Amino acid sequence: MTRLIVRDTSVMTCTDESVQEHVDVEVEAGRIVGLRPAGRAVEPGTTVIDGAGHTLLPGLLDAHVHMALIGPAGDHGDGSWISHVLRVKDVIEDTLLEGFTTVRDAGGLDPAFARAVDAGQIRGPKILPSGSVISQIGGHGDLREAHEAVHRGASIPGLVARPEVVNGADEVRRVAREQLRKGATQLKMFTSGGVLSPTDHWTHSQFQFDEIRAAVEVAQAWGTYVLAHCHSEAALMQVITAGVRSIEHGSQVNDEIADEMLRRDVWLVPTLQILGIIEADPALTPDQRTDINQIIEGSRRAVRIASAKGVGIGSGSDLVGPDQTGRGLEIALKAELMGAAKAILSATRDNARLMRLQDSVGTIEAGKRADLVLVAGSPLDDVKLLANGANLPVVIRGGEIVKDTAGMAHDSDS
Ligand SMILES: [Zn+2]
């Protein structure tokens, strides 16, 4: 299957917010050849997908996934490692079938899984792994209860990447270099507290400037960057000044912080979907409920501020736990705050820029990798279509049809 054409479809190339009608999109040898008006003859031996009534989008990108955190508590779970691997494999495969052709794992997934996808052993999206998240003692990644002295488990290279709890810039350098050695494509750091961690509060700043700076310098020397889990204003100012590229959650981004992000080309990856899931959990304590509501309200305000100022906004679902389906809901939730077109761009063109993959994916343009999804209907008119993989009958990764639930593909001769 070297030549493929999606015929007479609506296309959102995601180079901008426009939609083109009645277009053929040609693919050859895994690359997009280009767009042309529909109606021209198709060469024999071409695989044809009739796209009338559908909209073709670039393959979606998710900038914040945790595909190995499949335990009920949002951790690695306590099953056998063989069962863990098989379940992570399912999550990776399901993520591709929901239209996500590139994802950035924000911690917990050993880079060996990304290599297994590259080697064709798992049919999944291109994965950019962060390996173990770097946490301070008592930070968001320190999973010990207050009465526990010893960590309950360690990372197992090639299998599981638990948070690395460290102290001081030298230890940050050591674990940062270990992640890169193991195949992390960027580094993830907890630089503020969180809602569900056992011994901290989300308003805390975590790590000191020299520790964050150490990770940034190690990453930059390796040609990459740091993404930082970060909430409070003080913590945000510290990490932005220290040179991180990507702020995850960023619930307290205000005007002043957004200006600084714009000036330094720091991106915001709000994670609205997971916040809603946490908020709906009946097991939350009253204090946790207060916290999560403050974070949700702050996140929505942060998206509005950042969007109005033109700060780069990526798209990340942050789903954890056994059920990680429906990642596309993040795009619909963001659409409520910034409009459907900008929200779709955040999960395509803009996520590709954030991940520094803009030369290969994120838009439908000649020469780019043929990562494409066909949506039944118009996502600009009804962005919630993207929240359910059933509305995406065709997924193409690198020119290969990896999903065709409605049997839409046929040979040009038939
Ligand atoms: Zn996360």
Side-chain angles (χ1 to χ4, degrees):
M1 189 182 299
T2 56
R3 278 187 62 84
L4 186 147
I5 189 161
V6 183
R7 197 160 59 177
D8 193 15
T9 188
S10 301
V11 178
M12 188 167 172
T13 64
C14 291
T15 54
D16 58 27
E17 300 183 6
S18 68
V19 175
Q20 301 176 46
E21 308 287 352
H22 302 295
V23 170
D24 290 349
V25 176
E26 292 176 278
V27 169
E28 192 165 348
R31 301 262 152 202
I32 297 166
V33 176
L35 284 67
R36 66 182 198 192
R40 285 207 259 157
V42 176
E43 273 183 46
T46 305
T47 300
V48 177
I49 296 169
D50 289 310
H54 293 69
T55 305
L56 193 71
L57 294 180
L60 303 171
L61 295 86
D62 191 320
H64 194 124
V65 301
H66 294 289
M67 295 196 295
L69 302 185
I70 42 81
D75 54 9
H76 289 88
D78 52 11
S80 71
W81 289 123
I82 182 68
S83 137
H84 175 80
V85 169
L86 293 170
R87 288 168 65 202
V88 172
K89 179 173 183 277
D90 285 344
V91 170
I92 292 172
E93 290 174 349
D94 290 348
T95 298
L96 177 63
L97 296 179
E98 290 197 326
F100 290 88
T101 50
T102 305
V103 300
R104 186 179 68 171
D105 194 275
L109 186 79
D110 191 283
F113 283 94
R115 288 195 290 276
V117 171
D118 290 343
Q121 293 169 302
I122 305 174
R123 194 182 241 194
K126 175 69 184 173
I127 301 172
L128 281 71
S130 305
S132 294
V133 184
I134 306 169
S135 173
Q136 72 164 48
I137 294 169
H140 188 49
D142 190 335
L143 304 177
R144 295 171 295 178
E145 296 292 337
H147 63 276
E148 292 178 304
V150 179
H151 296 284
R152 279 173 245 174
S155 296
I156 306 169
L159 187 59
V160 57
R162 288 210 163 96
E164 294 290 342
V165 179
V166 297
N167 194 53
D170 271 348
E171 283 195 29
V172 169
R173 284 186 199 96
R174 179 177 59 76
V175 298
R177 289 180 180 131
E178 284 291 346
Q179 302 321 305
L180 297 168
R181 177 187 75 82
K182 291 174 187 171
T185 49
Q186 64 286 318
L187 298 172
K188 169 79 180 293
M189 235 181 167
F190 290 130
T191 62
S192 82
V195 178
L196 298 179
S197 34
T199 58
D200 67 7
H201 193 255
W202 67 270
T203 54
H204 297 169
S205 295
Q206 296 188 349
F207 282 121
Q208 294 182 341
F209 184 86
D210 65 317
E211 294 169 306
I212 300 165
R213 187 67 202 154
V216 168
E217 288 176 356
V218 167
Q220 286 176 349
W222 196 273
T224 184
Y225 65 91
V226 174
L227 59 151
H229 161 109
C230 199
H231 285 292
S232 71
E233 291 174 19
L236 284 164
M237 268 307 186
Q238 173 164 267
V239 287
I240 292 165
T241 312
V244 308
R245 172 167 177 77
S246 180
I247 300 287
E248 313 300 301
H249 320 302
S251 65
Q252 307 302 306
V253 168
N254 58 24
D255 281 302
E256 184 194 2
I257 292 167
D259 286 338
E260 201 58 24
M261 292 172 75
L262 194 58
R263 200 169 73 78
R264 294 173 183 261
D265 190 28
V266 177
W267 286 64
L268 175 64
V269 181
T271 53
L272 304 167
Q273 186 173 4
I274 191 66
L275 297 175
I277 292 170
I278 295 171
E279 198 264 336
D281 182 354
L284 286 186
T285 65
D287 283 350
Q288 286 175 328
R289 191 162 301 285
T290 303
D291 291 344
I292 195 71
N293 284 329
Q294 284 178 329
I295 288 176
I296 288 173
E297 191 185 317
S299 294
R300 293 172 64 87
R301 185 175 58 234
V303 172
R304 287 203 181 92
I305 291 171
S307 177
K309 285 185 183 285
V311 173
I313 299 180
S315 191
S317 62
D318 199 16
L319 293 188
V320 294
D323 178 12
Q324 300 198 7
T325 56
R327 289 183 197 286
L329 179 62
E330 179 68 26
I331 304 167
L333 295 173
K334 213 169 316 94
E336 293 172 14
L337 305 167
M338 53 198 280
K342 273 188 169 178
I344 292 168
L345 292 182
S346 79
T348 53
R349 180 193 70 182
D350 296 348
N351 258 356
R353 287 179 181 164
L354 164 62
M355 299 182 204
R356 296 179 172 158
L357 297 175
Q358 68 272 16
D359 292 338
S360 57
V361 296
T363 59
I364 299 178
E365 291 179 278
K368 289 216 172 161
R369 196 162 79 210
D371 290 353
L372 302 163
V373 296
L374 200 58
V375 185
S378 165
L380 267 188
D381 296 331
D382 182 8
V383 70
K384 280 213 169 74
L385 287 171
L386 300 176
N388 183 346
N391 299 318
L392 279 58
V394 173
V395 177
I396 297 167
R397 195 204 147 177
E400 182 196 358
I401 300 170
V402 294
K403 178 185 181 185
D404 180 14
T405 43
M408 295 173 75
H410 59 89
D411 196 84
S412 57
D413 309 323
S414 61

